[in-house]
């Protein structure tokens, strides 16, 4: 049973850390939160050392006062278990709980997430603390949601200590049904004399003199994700026992720089999926990453979700931390709402004056209320109040993009044909022209139900099991359109190469066979017959039923097919054996989706993002203008603009850098 968040409208707020400030500041916090329209804050995330000053001795007086204050001002609490940062006394008592890196160095405490996920002492202490929190505050009127831990795996996704090694072996015995011969077969241990005769011989993939076994590394990544998930589930059960009606979440990190956890496995375990997302300062079009992340999180959630952390301005952990441009805070936030977020929150409420994140922006910056950030925060609060009816509405995608963490992990292991391939870069390259065209996109697992879609794209699916490959193939056979990117289908779930020619699992469905790969050097390109170029990759494709759409015009493969199209059952399959330049790729995807019968949600001028959420009584069209020019878009004759409350006579003008949210009632 999924429990719902009982906070009306689009929730708004951020991490609240009153322990960093004198208590006389709290009254000002409450007043300013009300001014900004804050409805929910996360509290207690890093307060373990204050709540339990020594083992088994608790002091909840500060948290009691904070929760009472929030309740008195009508602000909901997303109450955290503070287990992401154990106190110093814990590590003095249990130094064995500190993590060990791949080179065998035991790390020290003094920051956050400095624990081994497999440590029995840590698990015992964390569950004890979660239980104390749950029992004390289960019936507190301010508490509307549990926030389990914080950003699992952000700093300690992998620990290579002996305790982790033992836990890894237990996980492997479960995965391989206690059959060591099955593990040896799956890992291909006849290679390089790696055969194991006893489970105790197996270690984590620690630093070694040559390239480690790829399946060993892949299973390690799977184990590390599952080990952290087991901690999350254990805390969740403690909270559920004390407060069976309160929903629980933990904040994912679906963004460009984090790949440690298989969130397809995590999402079903939570009542509410939430996400942390931060812009990459070096990305000139970070709005595309906002959209991709939002679509992926909505897909993980299967519907609405919460943005748990974002930044109002600069962060503090990139080489150069840029401020946001005018209007960017608002555009970012409403883009997340457009893609399913039913709550917007920031790290953090009040900018810290001390500590590791003192230069991280906040809702209330160091400059105080006489600042652009504060004015933008207040304006956004009013926007979210105006969008209350959007809550609960869903997406409308007819295109699915296949995303799989196992495939990502496997493709980015060492000793590949090319070290230049990055899973997220390849996916984004295909996603970007769809985003520019206003085409709605969901993300799916390879084995997902594909019946809602007309078009399925697999830009990068290096690893796929038989069930996933058969599912994608069957989708095309039933009348769908499937497009597959290069180096997909190459290996099975054990990282074993599928023999007989590439692209392995999809060879027959695509009607092609490749006998040799020709990856391209950095900066190298090959000409394509349509006038464009290909980069990163090429391969010697032989037609086996497919037709050539584009061929190579330069290089050792001149005249060989580069892009192909094939009829399969009632449907169509496409294969892109190279990475076309952005213009060529956009043209190909436009043709592919047109043949599949997929249209944009709305035709808009270049640079204007169009996203649709569908409610029971109306559609909500989000129009985000990323240019400095006004844009004019046709809308329904009976439409209204929610942010201003104005009726619209069949069209809307969105000023440069601004956002409009158009309500279009469903016909009677």
């Amino acid at each position: 049973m999924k429990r719902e968040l009982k906070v009306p409208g689009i929730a708004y707020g951020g991490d609240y850390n009153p322990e960093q400030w004198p208590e006389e500041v709290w009254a000002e916090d409450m007043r300013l939160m009300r001014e900004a329209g804050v409805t929910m804050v996360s509290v207690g995330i890093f307060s373990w050392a204050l709540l339990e000053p020594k083992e088994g001795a608790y002091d909840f007086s500060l948290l009691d006062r904070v929760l009472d204050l929030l309740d008195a001002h009508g602000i909901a609490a997303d109450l955290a278990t503070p287990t992401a940062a154990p106190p110093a006394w814990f590590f003095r008592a249990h130094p064995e709980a500190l993590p060990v890196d791949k080179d065998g160095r035991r790390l020290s405490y003094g920051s956050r997430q400095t624990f081994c996920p497999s440590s029995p002492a840590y698990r015992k202490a964390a569950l004890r603390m979660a239980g104390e929190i749950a029992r004390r505050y289960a019936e507190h009127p301010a508490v509307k949601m549990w926030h389990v831990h914080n950003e699992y795996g952000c700093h300690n996704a992998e620990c290579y200590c002996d305790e982790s090694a033992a836990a890894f072996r237990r996980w492997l015995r479960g995965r391989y049904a206690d059959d060591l011969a099955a593990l040896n077969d799956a890992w291909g241990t006849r290679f390089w004399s790696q055969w194991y005769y006893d489970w105790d011989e197996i270690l984590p993939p620690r630093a070694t003199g040559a390239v480690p076994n790829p399946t060993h590394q892949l299973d390690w990544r799977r184990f590390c994700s599952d080990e952290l998930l087991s901690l999350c589930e254990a805390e969740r059960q403690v909270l559920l026992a004390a407060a069976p009606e309160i929903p629980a979440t933990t904040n994912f990190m679906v963004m460009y720089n984090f790949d440690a956890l298989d969130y397809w496995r995590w999402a079903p375990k939570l009542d509410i999926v939430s996400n942390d997302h931060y812009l990459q300062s070096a990305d000139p079009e970070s709005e595309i990453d906002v959209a991709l992340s939002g679509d992926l999180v909505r897909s993980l959630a299967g519907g609405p979700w919460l943005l748990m952390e974002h930044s109002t301005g600069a962060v503090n952990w990139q080489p150069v931390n840029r401020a946001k441009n005018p209007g960017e805070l608002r555009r970012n936030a409403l883009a997340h709402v457009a893609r399913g977020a039913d709550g917007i929150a920031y790290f953090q409420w009040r900018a810290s004056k001390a500590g590791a994140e003192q230069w991280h922006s906040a809702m209330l910056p160091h400059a105080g209320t006489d600042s652009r950030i504060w004015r933008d925060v207040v304006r956004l609060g009013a926007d979210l109040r105006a969008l209350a009816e959007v809550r609960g509405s869903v997406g409308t995608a007819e295109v699915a993009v296949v995303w799989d963490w196992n495939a990502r992990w496997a493709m980015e292991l060492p000793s590949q044909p090319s070290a230049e391939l990055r899973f997220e870069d390849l996916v984004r390259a295909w996603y970007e022209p769809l985003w520019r065209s206003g085409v709605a996109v969901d993300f799916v697992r390879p084995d997902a139900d594909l019946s809602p879609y007309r078009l399925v794209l697999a830009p990068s699916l290096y690893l796929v099991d038989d069930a996933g490959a058969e599912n994608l193939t069957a989708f095309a056979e039933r009348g769908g359109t499937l497009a597959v990117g290069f180096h997909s289908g190459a290996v099975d779930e054990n990282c074993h190469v599928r023999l007989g020619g590439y692209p392995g699992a999809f060879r027959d469905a695509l009607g092609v066979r490749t006998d040799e790969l020709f990856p391209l050097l950095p900066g190298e390109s090959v000409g394509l017959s349509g006038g464009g170029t290909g980069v990163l990759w090429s391969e010697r494709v032989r037609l086996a039923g497919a037709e050539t759409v584009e061929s190579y015009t330069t290089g050792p493969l001149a005249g060989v097919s580069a892009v192909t199209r094939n009829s399969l059952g009632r449907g169509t399959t496409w294969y892109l054996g190279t990475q076309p330049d952005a213009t060529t790729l956009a043209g190909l995807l436009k043709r592919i989706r047109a043949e599949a019968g997929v249209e944009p949600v709305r035709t808009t001028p270049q640079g204007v993002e169009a996203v649709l959420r569908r409610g029971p009584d109306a559609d909500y069209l989000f129009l985000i203008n990323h240019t400095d020019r006004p844009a004019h878009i046709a809308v329904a004759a009976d439409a209204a603009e929610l942010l201003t409350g104005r009726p619209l006579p069949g069209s809307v003008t969105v000023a440069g850098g601004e956002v409009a949210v158009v309500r279009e009632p469903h016909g009677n």
Side-chain angles (χ1 to χ4, degrees):
M1 179 186 72
K2 296 283 188 178
R3 295 152 188 84
E4 295 184 0
L5 176 62
K6 295 179 180 177
V7 174
I10 307 296
Y12 185 41
D15 285 18
Y16 184 39
N17 299 295
E19 64 273 13
Q20 298 179 13
W21 301 95
E23 195 158 348
E24 56 266 25
V25 174
W26 300 359
E28 182 186 42
D29 287 334
M30 297 300 107
R31 178 179 63 81
L32 293 177
M33 284 183 190
R34 295 292 296 270
E35 180 180 332
V38 167
T39 59
M40 183 174 72
V41 293
S42 297
V43 292
I45 292 175
F46 296 114
S47 59
W48 191 343
L50 297 180
L51 299 179
E52 190 178 10
K54 62 181 181 179
E55 185 170 4
Y58 301 96
D59 181 0
F60 291 106
S61 57
L62 184 149
L63 189 54
D64 287 346
R65 296 195 301 278
V66 169
L67 291 175
D68 289 347
L69 192 62
L70 290 171
D71 183 52
H73 287 82
I75 299 170
D78 168 35
L79 180 56
T81 59
T83 53
W89 61 255
F90 170 79
F91 291 113
R92 290 185 67 193
H94 300 285
E96 78 285 357
L98 289 164
V100 173
D101 69 12
K102 183 179 288 191
D103 294 319
R105 297 177 304 166
R106 189 171 293 278
L107 306 183
S108 180
Y109 58 89
S111 59
R112 63 178 184 175
Q113 289 189 342
T114 52
F115 63 86
C116 164
S118 299
S119 164
Y122 168 78
R123 179 179 290 250
K124 180 180 178 182
L127 295 184
R128 185 179 68 240
M129 169 53 74
E132 293 291 334
I133 292 276
R135 286 185 291 273
R136 186 174 187 89
Y137 298 113
E139 297 184 4
H140 195 287
V143 177
K144 302 300 181 185
M145 184 165 64
W146 298 119
H147 187 302
V148 183
H149 198 79
N150 186 72
E151 294 184 336
Y152 275 102
C154 184
H155 304 285
N156 65 339
E158 299 174 271
C159 173
Y160 294 83
C161 73
D162 290 341
E163 195 66 61
S164 295
F168 182 41
R169 289 190 287 269
R170 290 192 295 271
W171 183 90
L172 290 170
R173 295 182 83 139
R175 179 173 178 82
Y176 294 102
D178 214 21
D179 185 344
L180 193 55
L183 178 140
N184 278 299
D185 181 62
W187 285 18
T189 55
R190 293 180 185 274
F191 188 82
W192 278 1
S193 189
Q194 293 173 5
W195 190 272
Y196 295 104
Y197 291 93
D198 191 290
W199 289 101
D200 287 340
E201 295 169 356
I202 300 172
L203 297 172
R206 295 167 175 162
T208 186
V211 178
N213 181 308
T215 319
H216 184 181
Q217 295 176 84
L218 180 59
D219 270 350
W220 172 252
R221 297 295 298 269
R222 290 164 170 159
F223 157 74
C224 290
S225 177
D226 282 357
E227 190 76 343
L228 286 165
L229 177 56
S230 75
L231 287 175
C232 180
E233 288 187 278
E235 285 197 31
R236 175 68 186 109
Q237 289 304 312
V238 169
L239 298 169
L240 186 63
E245 301 302 319
I246 298 179
T249 191
T250 192
N251 39 343
F252 292 173
M253 289 177 289
V254 177
M255 54 182 178
Y256 59 90
N257 63 342
F258 185 79
D259 72 344
L261 307 181
D262 181 353
Y263 286 131
W264 289 122
R265 291 178 61 82
W266 282 65
K269 308 295 185 181
L270 301 171
D271 296 306
I272 298 167
V273 168
S274 64
N275 190 51
D276 294 355
H277 184 271
Y278 292 98
L279 305 186
Q280 183 178 14
S281 291
D283 186 348
E285 293 185 293
S286 55
E287 60 269 21
I288 300 174
D289 189 60
V290 170
L292 190 157
S293 174
D295 281 339
L296 179 50
V297 178
R298 185 194 64 250
S299 302
L300 289 165
W305 52 282
L306 299 179
L307 181 67
M308 190 60 70
E309 285 187 30
H310 197 46
S311 66
T312 56
V315 297
N316 71 309
W317 41 268
Q318 297 179 24
V320 176
N321 297 290
R322 73 167 182 87
K324 291 193 175 183
N325 293 322
E328 192 172 8
L329 180 156
R330 186 170 184 255
R331 292 194 299 275
N332 290 163
L334 295 182
H336 282 297
V337 176
R339 295 178 187 276
D342 276 358
I344 298 293
Y346 291 93
F347 182 82
Q348 56 182 323
W349 162 250
R350 183 183 284 269
S352 301
K353 65 178 182 179
E357 294 180 297
Q358 67 192 100
W359 290 109
H360 194 294
S361 62
M363 299 175 76
L364 183 60
H366 292 139
T369 57
D370 185 13
S371 60
R372 188 183 74 186
I373 282 181
W374 175 252
R375 290 186 287 273
D376 286 348
V377 162
V378 173
R379 184 186 184 192
L380 179 59
D383 288 339
L384 297 179
R385 286 194 298 274
L387 297 181
E389 67 176 270
V390 173
R391 176 175 173 160
S393 56
V394 297
T396 59
E398 294 182 316
V399 177
V401 175
V402 181
W403 180 289
D404 185 63
W405 273 274
N406 285 268
R408 179 177 186 173
W409 294 334
M411 189 190 72
E412 296 181 5
L413 290 172
S415 294
Q416 283 285 322
S418 173
E420 297 299 309
L421 305 186
R422 297 290 181 272
F423 176 88
E424 184 150 352
D425 291 344
L426 296 174
V427 173
R428 174 164 163 167
W430 286 44
Y431 177 89
E432 182 175 328
L434 300 173
W435 176 85
R436 293 192 189 281
S437 300
V439 174
V441 170
D442 284 342
F443 286 88
V444 295
R445 298 166 52 128
D447 59 352
D449 176 12
L450 302 176
S451 59
Y453 305 106
R454 294 176 179 266
L455 172 62
V456 173
L457 307 175
S460 182
L461 197 60
Y462 168 69
L463 176 151
V464 64
D465 62 16
D466 290 344
E470 290 166 5
N471 186 50
L472 293 166
T473 299
F475 165 77
E477 290 174 332
R478 292 191 300 267
T481 299
L482 172 67
V484 177
F486 64 84
H487 207 31
S488 292
V491 301
D492 65 14
E493 67 273 19
N494 294 318
C495 263
H496 292 193
V497 174
R498 294 180 179 273
L499 304 179
Y502 320 115
F506 301 114
R507 190 173 60 238
D508 294 338
L510 298 171
V512 298
R513 181 179 180 274
T514 293
D515 73 324
E516 191 171 6
L517 307 175
F518 289 75
L520 302 176
L521 296 172
E524 187 179 9
S525 64
V526 289
L528 298 176
S529 57
T533 59
V535 297
L536 287 177
W537 193 269
S538 61
E539 56 186 69
R540 187 164 50 227
V541 171
R542 187 173 70 213
L543 301 181
E547 60 179 303
T548 298
V549 176
E550 295 253 11
S551 56
Y552 300 110
T553 59
T554 61
L557 300 180
V560 173
S561 299
V563 179
T564 63
R565 182 182 183 278
N566 185 50
S567 296
L568 182 69
R570 300 195 303 274
T572 305
T573 61
W574 291 72
Y575 184 55
L576 277 63
T578 187
Q579 179 74 353
D581 65 85
T583 301
T584 301
L585 180 57
L588 285 168
L589 289 172
K590 184 177 181 180
R591 174 181 170 183
I592 291 168
R593 67 172 175 80
E595 289 187 12
V598 174
E599 297 294 333
V601 298
R602 198 64 47 97
T603 300
T604 62
Q606 185 175 2
V608 179
E609 183 176 356
V611 191
L612 195 68
R613 288 183 68 165
R614 178 153 292 155
D617 302 315
D619 286 346
Y620 303 99
L621 177 65
F622 287 72
L623 299 166
I624 306 170
N625 190 345
H626 296 286
T627 77
D628 57 3
R629 306 175 302 276
H632 310 284
I633 298 101
V635 298
D638 56 351
E641 206 287 309
L642 291 181
L643 299 178
T644 62
R646 296 195 315 265
L648 299 173
S651 69
V652 61
T653 298
V654 187
E658 291 294 331
V659 181
V661 182
V662 180
R663 185 184 195 275
E664 296 181 315
H666 294 163
N668 295 325

